[in-house]
Amino acid sequence: MSMSAGWYLRRLSRMGPREAGGRAVDAVRRRRWRSALPERPPVTGVRFTAVLPEGALAAVHPDAVKRLVAEADRLMAGRAEFFGVVRDDMTDPDWQFDPKTGRRAPLDHAFDVPYRDEATVGDIKQIWEPSRHQYLTVLAAAYALTGNDRYAERVAAHLRSWWEANPPLRGAHWVSGIELGIRLLSWVWIRRLLDGWAGAPALFEENPVALDQIWHHQRWLAAFPSRGSSANNHAVAEAAGQLAASCALGWFPYSPRWRADALRDLDRHLRANTFLSGINRELASEYHGLVLELGLAAVAEADAAGVAVPATTRLVLLRMTDALAAVVDNRLRPPRQGDADDGHGLVLDGPDTDRWGSLLATGEAVFGRLAWWPEVPGADVRTPLLASLTEPYGAGVARPEKRPAHFADAGLTVLRGPGDIWCRCDGGPHGFLSIAAHAHADALSVEVRHDGVDVLADPGTYCYHGQPEWRSYFRSTLGHNTLEAGGRDQSVSGGPFLWTRPAVTRVLKADTDGEEAARWCAEHDGYRPLLHRRQVDVTYESREVRITDTVSGDRREVRLAFHLGPSVTAELEGSRARLSWTRDGEDRSAVLDLPDGLTWRSHRGESGPPLGWYSPGFGRKVPSTTLAGSGSVDGTAEFTTVLGFDG
């Protein structure tokens, strides 16, 4: 997806003078960097000392080791999956190859690579993901826990291959700071986990090529930070990677300065990216997890190096952890709000390990659990290793005495009912910073789950680049459980990661622990002068979720959509849908009574235009059922929907 001149003008309009000036400086610096690649300053006598404490590996539970080794053996066989695409060539990967399109990214100067243009480069996410080297941290962890040299030898071969194929400032892997930051974090852990292997020093600190790569990665991050309207999770990843490398691999004359700057930037960006309630300001649940992982990993490196970490940094991470514990459902699944690209900060486990349970387990080890926290079953590799490097924090800090349900600053409210009914209501701001890059046009949308099963589902994200029709659908108003008016989105898009006019939402009521029901009510102005107001009631005795939509203003055509989870089947008769699904071998059911004032149709897996899809992860989509009601309003109209659970 190449960007038009109009997009650049819209993007420029969302920048302030300071950001525009900083980007002008970046442009001048890029021009200067083209002319000559500076040489790394010489270093002598460097040693790696950021090792795991004694006993850390022994603390990993045998079940977690077993899962890890199973994944490591799949990787050793050359098999890996990235965003739904299975690769069988990972014994000797082509680092520029996209198996999804069959294209290879050019090895041009990094500043010339058109990474958004799929026709030229391929799917850039497919190219970038293996080069985060998080599958190599899994192999390195397998070596550390088993002592089997074959895992270490594979890691070494792949690192040497990558370094040779991707010289500094050449190709797609030198385009984006978030990629460099996460890659540095992976290299730190690879070196740590390979410490018992005889070949580790020759691979890293005694290897001029490795030293060149580490130095140039850090030099790049210091020169081209994400700025202004782009200072979202990317800025956190850049600071985290820079801090980790300058602490654990701080072998260069500039290392103290890079470390100090990264520590300051990490603190600043964590605070800027996080509401005081602990919810991530991008209002994209998976990026909450990514930022939390990055922050915890970066603080662990500082602690291991004896570098003083600001109390505000730890406080933000504590609040993020408590917020995550508060919003997950009974199966430890967080909301599916906003964009999600399956990004991780540090991977030391196989895919069978629950990401959110692992994060909460790490939070418990570092901060201590509260009485209302959900129990975390199972064990993981990352928690005991990360916690072994990290100073405990949380004693004497004010924390919620009971489970929060309404996060006023983020506009996120969770209503809970009997039988593990979980309902997330969206009344928050439209994303973060002036471009709201990872926001969706989802004001007043709801998610409803029963015992962890998506009943009324947020369909997800599916893709970023290369498929504009699908990108538009999955972040559209029609693609969420809310009301569309006039055939357009509530917020105006200016590009795949750019919004030019956001809807403004206001929460009117959030009573999350009423005696007979939990209630939420909010409105937004995205269709002004038409006003959309929604009230949601979760009634305890009747086990119902009642959604009342009120529309007032000028005459408009409206569509009200309800997206069902992929495991839910629906039989629609008029304005009543009978829903059924299976959970743990047990049949479950519900009745969805839809507003009579609209004409209802069932859609499933349609592509012209898209409707009736669910994305279980980035790059993947499966057919699901969407119930869409259409009609017109003139003046004031009220539509009531009732979801009643059987049993």
Side-chain angles (χ1 to χ4, degrees):
M1 183 186 307
S2 57
M3 299 294 105
S4 66
W7 178 87
Y8 283 103
L9 289 173
R10 291 191 296 273
R11 184 66 182 85
L12 183 61
S13 72
R14 308 305 291 175
M15 300 180 193
R18 183 175 180 180
E19 178 182 356
R23 290 178 182 269
V25 171
D26 289 347
V28 172
R29 183 175 289 125
R30 285 190 177 94
R31 190 176 302 116
R32 187 168 66 247
W33 280 31
R34 287 176 186 275
S35 59
L37 189 68
E39 292 186 3
R40 168 182 54 82
V43 295
T44 57
V46 298
R47 294 188 309 115
F48 181 78
T49 59
V51 298
L52 286 169
E54 186 176 352
L57 292 170
V60 179
H61 195 280
D63 289 345
V65 176
K66 183 178 179 179
R67 290 196 305 272
L68 170 71
V69 171
E71 175 62 14
D73 288 343
R74 284 191 288 269
L75 292 169
M76 290 294 292
R79 184 178 178 85
E81 181 177 331
F82 301 103
F83 306 134
V85 177
V86 175
R87 294 185 63 157
D88 294 315
D89 62 342
M90 292 301 291
T91 53
D92 184 19
D94 181 340
W95 302 107
Q96 319 301 332
F97 179 65
D98 165 28
K100 181 178 172 183
T101 64
R103 296 187 176 92
R104 294 186 78 255
L107 203 63
D108 297 337
H109 195 286
F111 302 149
D112 296 330
V113 176
Y115 67 95
R116 295 188 182 95
D117 186 356
E118 189 171 289
T120 302
V121 176
D123 185 333
I124 193 62
K125 293 286 286 181
Q126 287 288 342
I127 295 170
W128 277 344
E129 192 67 16
S131 289
R132 290 186 171 187
H133 291 167
Q134 293 174 328
Y135 77 96
L136 294 182
T137 55
V138 170
L139 289 174
Y143 163 76
L145 289 162
T146 66
N148 191 325
D149 284 356
R150 70 189 187 105
Y151 299 123
E153 290 163 358
R154 175 63 58 82
V155 172
H158 279 208
L159 284 179
R160 293 184 190 277
S161 167
W162 194 93
W163 290 332
E164 180 181 1
N166 297 278
L169 292 181
R170 307 298 299 184
H173 298 302
W174 292 87
V175 170
S176 175
I178 187 174
E179 304 305 316
L180 277 73
I182 291 177
R183 193 154 52 238
L184 278 176
L185 188 57
S186 295
W187 291 352
V188 166
W189 273 88
I190 288 169
R191 177 60 187 88
R192 173 176 290 127
L193 293 164
L194 295 186
D195 193 61
W197 181 55
L203 179 62
F204 278 92
E205 56 265 31
E206 297 171 5
N207 182 359
V209 176
L211 293 173
D212 284 347
Q213 287 278 349
I214 295 166
W215 184 79
H216 278 287
H217 271 66
Q218 293 189 265
R219 176 177 175 265
W220 194 107
L221 290 174
F224 301 111
S226 292
R227 300 180 182 276
S229 54
S230 295
N232 53 9
N233 64 86
H234 286 234
V236 176
E238 293 159 12
Q242 185 79 300
L243 180 59
S246 59
C247 285
L249 313 175
W251 302 323
F252 311 105
Y254 281 117
S255 292
R257 177 179 174 182
W258 288 338
R259 182 165 55 244
D261 289 348
L263 190 65
R264 182 197 64 236
D265 290 344
L266 180 69
D267 181 67
R268 176 166 60 93
H269 289 304
L270 280 175
R271 287 187 287 113
N273 274 258
T274 311
F275 288 109
L276 289 177
S277 64
I279 298 293
N280 180 261
R281 284 185 182 270
E282 293 198 74
L283 295 172
S285 306
E286 285 224 0
Y287 285 108
H288 183 110
L290 173 64
V291 168
L292 181 54
E293 287 175 354
L294 289 166
L296 289 169
V299 167
E301 296 302 333
D303 284 348
V307 175
V309 176
T312 48
T313 299
R314 298 186 198 272
L315 182 59
V316 169
L317 297 174
L318 169 63
R319 287 172 173 166
M320 291 185 72
T321 306
D322 280 342
L324 177 62
V327 301
V328 294
D329 64 23
N330 67 303
R331 300 282 179 142
L332 301 186
R333 293 180 60 218
R336 283 168 53 90
Q337 184 177 13
D339 271 349
D341 71 349
D342 298 356
H344 291 255
L346 175 65
V347 179
L348 300 178
D349 292 270
D352 294 336
T353 298
D354 178 66
R355 174 188 191 174
W356 307 102
S358 172
L359 258 177
L360 290 175
T362 303
E364 179 176 346
V366 174
F367 303 122
R369 76 185 312 276
L370 297 173
W372 52 263
W373 272 33
E375 294 291 335
V376 178
D380 66 315
V381 174
R382 185 179 61 187
T383 289
L385 301 189
L386 202 59
S388 73
L389 300 173
T390 309
E391 296 292 334
Y393 176 79
V397 177
R399 299 172 68 183
E401 295 182 358
K402 65 177 185 177
R403 190 175 204 170
H406 175 57
F407 298 83
D409 48 8
L412 189 157
T413 306
V414 176
L415 308 180
R416 299 177 189 268
D420 295 319
I421 296 172
W422 178 96
C423 176
R424 192 264 301 179
C425 304
D426 183 352
H430 183 75
F432 179 48
L433 301 173
S434 61
I435 63 173
H438 291 298
H440 290 187
D442 57 358
L444 309 192
S445 65
V446 298
E447 281 184 89
V448 179
R449 299 177 191 159
H450 183 274
D451 194 16
V453 173
D454 291 311
V455 180
L456 300 183
D458 185 303
T461 299
Y462 177 53
C463 67
Y464 280 171
H465 303 288
Q467 302 178 74
E469 185 179 28
W470 291 102
R471 173 65 172 153
S472 296
Y473 168 69
F474 274 97
R475 66 181 197 147
S476 70
T477 298
L478 183 61
H480 294 83
N481 297 316
T482 188
L483 183 139
E484 176 200 76
R488 64 175 181 83
D489 290 337
Q490 311 150 334
S491 297
V492 178
S493 172
F497 297 97
L498 172 63
W499 296 91
T500 57
R501 189 179 65 77
V504 177
T505 307
R506 184 165 64 109
V507 175
L508 305 174
K509 187 178 185 63
D511 183 4
T512 59
D513 53 3
E515 292 185 4
E516 298 180 355
R519 171 172 292 178
W520 171 89
C521 183
E523 62 187 20
H524 77 83
D525 68 350
Y527 298 123
R528 53 182 180 268
L530 182 144
L531 182 70
H532 176 206
R533 178 175 294 178
R534 167 169 280 185
Q535 179 171 303
V536 178
D537 295 277
V538 176
T539 56
Y540 306 145
E541 184 174 351
S542 59
R543 295 167 48 82
E544 290 181 346
V545 178
R546 179 178 294 267
I547 303 169
T548 305
D549 291 291
T550 304
V551 183
S552 57
D554 58 358
R555 180 179 178 83
R556 301 277 184 99
E557 296 295 317
V558 299
R559 283 192 291 182
L560 182 61
F562 291 106
H563 302 265
L564 308 182
S567 63
V568 177
T569 61
E571 296 180 6
L572 178 64
E573 297 179 2
S575 59
R576 168 170 282 196
R578 299 186 182 276
L579 314 182
S580 59
W581 65 95
T582 302
R583 179 54 146 169
D584 297 333
E586 180 181 342
D587 292 336
R588 310 283 180 92
S589 61
V591 174
L592 184 63
D593 285 315
L594 301 159
D596 289 329
L598 300 173
T599 301
W600 290 91
R601 288 185 56 197
S602 178
H603 305 263
R604 185 175 181 86
E606 299 173 7
S607 57
L611 190 59
W613 295 93
Y614 178 97
S615 176
F618 194 83
R620 293 173 288 157
K621 67 180 189 298
V622 296
S624 62
T625 299
T626 296
L627 304 175
S630 59
S632 62
V633 297
D634 189 5
T636 300
E638 185 173 284
F639 305 106
T640 300
T641 304
V642 180
L643 173 62
F645 292 96
D646 296 334

